[in-house]
Amino acid sequence: MDKYIETPLTKEKVRGLQAGDYVYITGTVYTARDAAHKRMTEELSAGGALPFDVENQIIYYLGPTPARAGQVIGSAGPTTSSRMDRYTPPLLERGLTGMIGKGKRSGEVIDSMKKNGAVYFAAVGGAGALLSRCIKESEVIAYDDLGTEAVRRLYVENLPVIAVIDCQGNNMYETAAQKYKEV
């Protein structure tokens, strides 16, 4: 089912999403990859603060290519999400409600998603140039020294994703594989 949502991604909106839904996101989304997640976790462990309030927000696992002249951002394809798994539960506990990436998530992340009411979206890998057309604004807000892995605040319009793991733990990676085996 096609669903159109606007950020912030509240718990109520998360509960309205089911694994398999095609979702079009409009609003503010943040980017962070491995190095930024590691740094955020280290800052939290040291008693510091995150570079943005993660409550009711979406993090897109993205390290864009440099923008060409006249572009807001370069290619904006998703990064393999499992690389963020060890850093994700503390962010979910602080209210993060959505993640965009590609690939499977660990059992620990899925359990934390269920406990904290979050959803995992997949974006199509290899379609970064097309996805970048949905990004209307991009601003580095933290960790500029990380280059493409800096934390960015994006404004997106109708960014196409698929809810692959919902807040109930329904997981398309599991159910789709099972359906395939039954055929």
Side-chain angles (χ1 to χ4, degrees):
M1 172 182 253
D2 288 358
K3 296 191 176 177
Y4 293 82
I5 60 171
E6 292 187 16
T7 62
L9 183 60
T10 62
K11 301 280 187 187
E12 180 180 347
K13 291 175 186 176
V14 168
R15 285 189 297 273
L17 297 171
Q18 297 178 349
D21 287 344
Y22 289 91
V23 181
Y24 298 88
I25 300 169
T26 296
T28 299
V29 172
Y30 294 89
T31 70
R33 282 184 39 163
D34 318 40
H37 274 77
K38 182 176 188 282
R39 192 172 292 175
M40 287 190 294
T41 302
E42 290 170 349
E43 287 186 16
L44 286 174
S45 294
L50 295 171
F52 64 97
D53 182 1
V54 297
E55 187 171 354
N56 296 324
Q57 298 301 327
I58 299 170
I59 294 180
Y60 187 179
Y61 302 144
L62 164 67
T65 62
R68 292 183 181 168
Q71 292 182 321
V72 171
I73 199 165
S75 183
T79 296
T80 303
S81 302
S82 61
R83 293 170 24 194
M84 272 54 72
D85 280 0
R86 67 179 142 174
Y87 309 115
T88 299
L91 299 176
L92 293 169
E93 290 168 14
R94 284 170 174 73
L96 179 69
T97 49
M99 300 151 288
I100 303 170
K102 66 179 180 182
K104 294 182 177 184
R105 303 309 302 263
S106 70
E108 181 183 5
V109 169
I110 295 169
D111 289 345
S112 187
M113 289 171 57
K114 291 176 359 185
K115 176 184 171 191
N116 295 292
V119 63
Y120 171 55
F121 300 106
V124 178
L130 293 172
L131 293 169
S132 69
R133 294 180 186 173
C134 299
I135 300 170
K136 305 305 178 185
E137 297 174 18
S138 173
E139 174 189 9
V140 173
I141 62 166
Y143 315 144
D144 191 36
D145 61 303
L146 297 179
T148 61
E149 291 202 35
V151 174
R152 289 174 170 73
R153 179 175 35 242
L154 305 178
Y155 181 80
V156 300
E157 289 180 358
N158 293 319
L159 181 70
V161 295
I162 300 168
V164 290
I165 305 174
D166 62 28
C167 66
Q168 306 295 316
N170 299 310
N171 184 341
M172 281 192 60
Y173 289 119
E174 302 298 327
T175 57
Q178 185 59 36
K179 285 181 183 177
Y180 178 78
K181 289 177 185 177
E182 292 171 2
V183 173

